[in-house]
Amino acid sequence: MRSRNIHPDLILFNGRVHTMDRHNTVVGAVAVRNGRIIALGKDDDVTELAGPETELLDLRGRVVIPGLFDGHLHLLERGIDLTWIRLHECDSVAEMVSLVRERVAKAKPGEWIKRAKLSLGRGWNDERFVEQRIPTRA
């Protein structure tokens, strides 16, 4: 009977690995097998899991963070975008008006209702609208 290889494929050690858990834990090493993290912790504890086929990568103090997968994103702009009225989800001009009314109802007197760049609405797809027209001030 053949035994299964239970050793990690890769161990990153001597680094600062940000786990992104709710305690913002930072550890020195991470072990990976079949594309999945199987261990996090101190260098000695994690490197002792290595087998003869395990690749060991000395990070020399470098930082590791979880991968962020996005084909294209301007992070600051996306953050700002989340504070605006989400027009891209609308299926009608009437729905857009309703979202603006909701935002106005929550605003303090004199407070600006945040819109996209240059005070223009942004993000809608007028081809989705049941009214078959672009929104206007009227």
Side-chain angles (χ1 to χ4, degrees), residues 73-85:
L73 178 71
H74 295 263
L75 192 56
L76 179 60
E77 187 172 318
R78 178 63 180 140
I80 293 168
D81 186 45
L82 291 173
T83 68
W84 297 332
I85 301 170

Side-chain angles (χ1 to χ4, degrees), residues 60-71:
R60 290 180 263 177
R62 294 185 187 109
V63 173
V64 173
I65 60 171
L68 304 174
F69 183 84
D70 194 309

Side-chain angles (χ1 to χ4, degrees), residues 81-109:
D81 186 45
L82 291 173
T83 68
W84 297 332
I85 301 170
R86 301 187 56 137
L87 303 177
H88 65 279
E89 298 171 359
C90 296
D91 291 320
S92 68
V93 173
E95 189 176 354
M96 287 178 63
V97 170
S98 175
L99 289 174
V100 172
R101 280 193 177 124
E102 283 178 28
R103 183 65 62 95
V104 169
K106 294 176 185 175
K108 297 174 186 154

Side-chain angles (χ1 to χ4, degrees), residues 6-76:
I6 59 169
H7 301 291
D9 303 318
L10 172 67
I11 294 177
L12 307 173
F13 67 98
N14 188 25
R16 293 184 325 224
V17 180
H18 292 261
T19 65
M20 305 305 283
D21 66 8
R22 67 180 138 177
H23 304 292
N24 293 314
T25 306
V26 178
V27 297
V30 58
V32 179
R33 182 175 59 231
N34 296 326
R36 296 191 179 266
I37 294 173
I38 61 167
L40 293 162
K42 296 178 183 176
D43 287 344
D44 291 342
D45 295 336
V46 176
T47 55
E48 75 180 14
L49 302 173
E53 308 265 329
T54 302
E55 178 183 355
L56 295 167
L57 181 59
D58 184 348
L59 296 172
R60 290 180 263 177
R62 294 185 187 109
V63 173
V64 173
I65 60 171
L68 304 174
F69 183 84
D70 194 309
H72 182 91
L73 178 71
H74 295 263
L75 192 56
L76 179 60

